[in-house]
Amino acid sequence: MTSKKYSADLSAFTYRRTFRSNLILSVLIAINILMCFSGALNIIGAAADRDAARYLKATYTYFFRTSTDSPDIMPFMLSIPFIFLCAGLAVSIFRYVMGKKSSNVYFSLGISREKLFVSNYCAGLSVIMLGIIVPLAACLIANGIFFGFSGKLLFAFVYILFKVFCAGVFVFTLTALVMQLVGSVIETVVYTGVLLAAPAMVNYTLSNMIGNFIYGAPYTPSGFFENDGSGMFYVFGKNAIYSGLSMFDYPKYITPIGSDNLISFITSERKLSPNSASFYSIGEFKFPLVFALITSVLAVAAYFCAKHRKAEKAGFMGTSPFVQGLCVLAVGPFLAMLAGNIFTTSGMSFPAKRRLIILLSIVIMAVGYTVVEMIVLRSFKKYWQRFNYLIAELGIFLLCCLVVISTLPVGSMKVPAAADIESASITVCSNDYDSMNGYTGPGYFNGGARLDVDCMGKDYIKLFEGFKDKEDIERIISVNEKLNALKNTKPDNTYGGDDEFTKTILSGIRIEYHLKNGKTKVRNYRNVTLGIIREIDELTKSDTMKNMIADSLETITDDNGIAPLSSYQYNIALISPDMTRGVSPELFFDNDARENLVKALAADIREGTLPISRISASPLMGYIVMRSYAFPTYDGDVYTDDDPPFAKPQGDIELIDDEHEEMSFVFHEGASYPVYADMKNTVEYVKANGLDKYFTGGAKPVEIIYGKYSEPSEISREYFDSMIFSAINMSDRQAQLVWSEFNKDEIYYEYSDGLSAQVYYPDYSVTDEDTGIDEADRIDPEDMMPEGSTVVTDEAQIAELMSKVRLNCHLCYEGDYALIVFDNGRITYAYIPVGT
Amino acid sequence: MIEVKNVTKKFGSFAAVKDLSLTVDDGSIYGLVGYNGAGKTTLLKMIAGVYKPDEGETLINGRNTFTDAAVRLNMFYVPDEIYFEPFSSIEKMAKLYAGYYPSFSFDTLDSLCGVFELDKKARLNSFSKGMQRQAEMILGMSAHPDVLLLDESFDGLDPQKRNVMNRMLIDYVAEKNCSVIISSHNLHEVSDICDRMALINGKSIALDCSVDDIGADRCKFRLVFDRDMTASDFDGFDIRKIKVDGKMVTLSVKGDPDETERRLRAMNPVLAERFPLTIEEVFLEEMEEKEYDFKEIFG
């Protein structure tokens, strides 16, 4: 009568049964993993193509990735189903604890709950491992056949297998743990999702708490979504803390994407890649091992929870106030920080904003807790009985706030002594410029409200770094102390006034001190004044700065990091000081000539005759302008990539193309260098090569209208404050407002900021947001100048003014803005600095 | 032997079972009767090891059913809410149970499927409620347990099938000398098959005796007096229920029926009749039924 089917080992029976019934998930995981690492399939295809095969063998040691293109978004996308599959596996295996009926059966069996859990858990691990190892083994074999087996290949295989397995098991284990604690599948899904995101949310909360609560914190508040420019996207921002917690970034963990992803590197070792040997060390297992350790802790916790699992929880929501509270504690402050960063007005003082964020956090946590409780409990009485959990959560949060506010600020506001500093750097938020290369009165020059600066979480461009000279370090220390003094000030968004240079405005200033003891202290500030920025600006006159700019100018490369500035990728033109004529001489298509030009400019920078601010009292001869020509040719209605314009000597060039703005010389990115009479090296070069004749203007000025602005003009100030740093980033913001046809009856104007030319045709109805001028409005040049402007038509006066005008002027607000009307109908918008 | 010792089970602040004790001997069928929500299912789940008692313990042959999983190898629990694996058949479920029950017999399974005329390969979710109960019973019996816990297992069965089930259980108990606990709110169903019964009332045992003796300690009387009577005239008796209508009195009295009759006759009634109590009447008396005037409610 006794069944032969009975298994003396109930655990083994449970394991086998669970494994068999979940094999389909193993198959799905295998498909998912194979798509993430389908490089082997590429290899198989490439093997049939001789050229492709040759390329792969010459370029790689092995190849696991999906494609040779980088970045490859597919693995990132495929990591999401991997997470769902591993979580789904846990739900499939442990769903018996969720049902009243199923728990009646399984808990009454002759196997203890803990053994039941362990057997099922091990089966789950086996399912995951099978789903991962089979496709990776297939890739290993394909690589071995194509590239040959090597120690590096085997190491990469083991490394990837281990890392992906850890990621999958983590998700599986966390889900299993949550299932032992809660009573319904919906709670499992929600709470598991929250807990998976919790590390990123907690990281965001803590770093933003520091950034928002501590004046001069090492971290800045983050936005919601940031791109660091290398192709890596960070949800919830990239902060200093974040990079240390890469183990929680599942897509990076699982898939080969991103420049700083270890898997990304190791999945396809390029023969040309530097420092590849450093990856083949045991040390690279550090993060996966820590991850595995955390997973083990969770597994043990799940074991004990399974052992003590109460069957009466099955089918009921709200049975685990602990898990629920944990999720609210993770989500609440996170949402509050996010809201605080997005919605709090920039016009608040630092302490006021801090108070507001704390209040927001309390409100959001209380509301969130109440909403969740009412959904799961559906009883106000039960909600009230568990109200102490909310009190506890709020208490924990406020305690964290107190710790952050009270313990860290002392250190963060302290300015190191100059004697302890090895070198220092100071940077400003790059938000205002598309070129990300400079600073103005940040916030001051935005088209919108003055305080509309968003410098949260932005990457800073280190404009001033490596200062070792005592005088420079002391200047930075002086700036730091003045920034500290602005802590309780309220940013002022009004323009003008006697306190223009002393009132607090918003920007982002980062100071780094590299100490002699090897440590680095970082300070971030948002409150600044134009006066402080001017003080920072003095650093541009230091030898350190000059040498840095000159060095980078001489070694500058294009985007691919291959061709130097002296290559044919850039067209160089000589432009008259009034920007009415431009010539691209054939000389500049000689590499040696280009190199010599760059050397001359660099020498003048070092000697200080070409100031970094590009302002000089010395007479202006003209401009040497460089433009990249990486854009298609316009041929009728068709754009082609053939014969990029400006790839050949142009002779006289069209600074502004009336019909095709994108063909305008000033349209594209580049840099411009004023040539002043005292720039000995450059002037010598220009004269020696007979280039000075091209500095003659192509049109005669017939009218100059000049005046001062009482309010910011989007045209006026934004375009004049550019720095020589634009030479580094190959962008320029010279402003030129031209009328291709000076016709009062036809509104037809265009202007160029050096980065974009905007052309408005008579029948083109558009309102330019930057200018605020509707092309339908018929405007006289005089109407574009502030009230009370002076109109000059006398030739002698015009000539005198023309000797003073500049097309760029950094941080110059005390001078006059000028509109120059030429006899050919062109108009140039310029500036007459004080002191010229 | 099944022993339940002073078990208490609470769900939050609500006590489903409070300080409850009972004993089920080997070779007996024990009936558990009570109104809806009396705690029958909770008690059975504690014995089955599904619930952990907050106080007290449940033992099978001296071994705790919650902490000692091995004791459950020879115990089968048929719950009120039947569970089958999704898309499973009797055969598939049999493979599950066969892995966990050392005495599971596929021969027995086949035989019982024939008796109840159930297709063991058909999907269980295509069965009617009654057929599903039969299927669960078949699976339970095929495990040849020493302890069988049945929670409302006869609910939904037609009289013919119920009769077959009764005979099967009686024969099984006699053959295996095992212990069976059946919970039900159908008194007849329980009284037909059980040796002993327990009435659970208000979370504890109100009555625990053999079926034969269930009414032995109480009796019902109808008396007619020559004078108007009141309830207080009978204060010396352990009255379970009394109805006074002028000179006529109907009462149920707990105590030795003969002695009670003697004492009542000593009150010189004009007429005195004695009736044995039915199980329903005993049940209702013990359940402390409230008299509801539904005319007033719906009027």
Side-chain angles (χ1 to χ4, degrees), chain B residues 6-9 46 51-58 64 66:
Chain B
N6 306 107
V7 295
T8 297
K9 182 65 183 173
M46 283 192 284
Y51 286 169
K52 181 182 178 184
D54 295 317
E55 292 172 19
E57 56 182 352
T58 55
N64 190 299
F66 185 82

Side-chain angles (χ1 to χ4, degrees), chain A residues 1-7 10 13-14 17 95 100-113 116 307 309-312, chain B residues 9 11 45 48-51 66 69 72-73 75 77 79 81-83 85-86 95-102 104-106 108 144:
Chain A
M1 284 282 279
T2 304
S3 167
K4 292 179 185 174
K5 290 277 185 179
Y6 166 67
S7 169
L10 301 184
F13 173 77
T14 304
R17 187 169 173 276
R95 68 181 187 275
K100 292 183 205 173
K101 298 180 185 178
S102 56
S103 50
N104 286 337
V105 171
Y106 283 93
F107 288 162
S108 65
L109 294 173
I111 181 171
S112 65
R113 294 174 196 209
L116 190 63
K307 184 176 179 181
R309 168 77 179 182
K310 289 190 174 184
E312 49 264 40
Chain B
K9 182 65 183 173
F11 298 103
K45 284 187 178 182
V50 176
Y51 286 169
F66 185 82
R72 300 196 295 266
L73 287 172
M75 181 205 75
Y77 171 49
E81 294 173 305
I82 298 170
Y83 171 77
E85 299 272 295
K95 287 176 182 172
L96 165 67
Y97 288 124
Y100 290 103
Y101 288 96
F104 193 91
S105 167
F106 281 90
T108 305
H144 291 267

Side-chain angles (χ1 to χ4, degrees), chain B residues 65-135:
Chain B
T65 59
F66 185 82
T67 56
D68 190 345
V71 78
R72 300 196 295 266
L73 287 172
N74 296 300
M75 181 205 75
F76 197 96
Y77 171 49
V78 179
D80 178 22
E81 294 173 305
I82 298 170
Y83 171 77
F84 297 120
E85 299 272 295
F87 311 111
S88 62
S89 60
I90 293 177
E91 190 174 52
K92 190 174 174 190
M93 287 303 295
K95 287 176 182 172
L96 165 67
Y97 288 124
Y100 290 103
Y101 288 96
S103 302
F104 193 91
S105 167
F106 281 90
D107 296 333
T108 305
L109 180 83
D110 292 339
S111 300
L112 289 175
C113 283
V115 168
F116 287 92
E117 297 173 331
L118 294 177
D119 182 357
K120 68 178 183 180
K121 291 187 189 297
R123 288 248 180 106
L124 283 160
N125 59 8
S126 67
F127 284 9
S128 68
K129 180 182 170 186
M131 289 166 71
Q132 288 184 353
R133 288 212 178 276
Q134 293 167 43

Side-chain angles (χ1 to χ4, degrees), chain A residues 400-444:
Chain A
C400 288
C401 291
L402 193 63
V403 168
V404 168
I405 292 170
S406 62
T407 60
L408 294 178
V410 172
S412 70
M413 287 196 72
K414 186 185 169 194
V415 182
D420 297 334
I421 300 171
E422 178 70 35
S423 70
S425 68
I426 185 164
T427 74
V428 179
C429 176
S430 57
N431 186 57
D432 289 327
Y433 279 97
D434 292 344
S435 59
M436 298 177 69
N437 69 327
Y439 67 82
T440 62
Y444 191 90

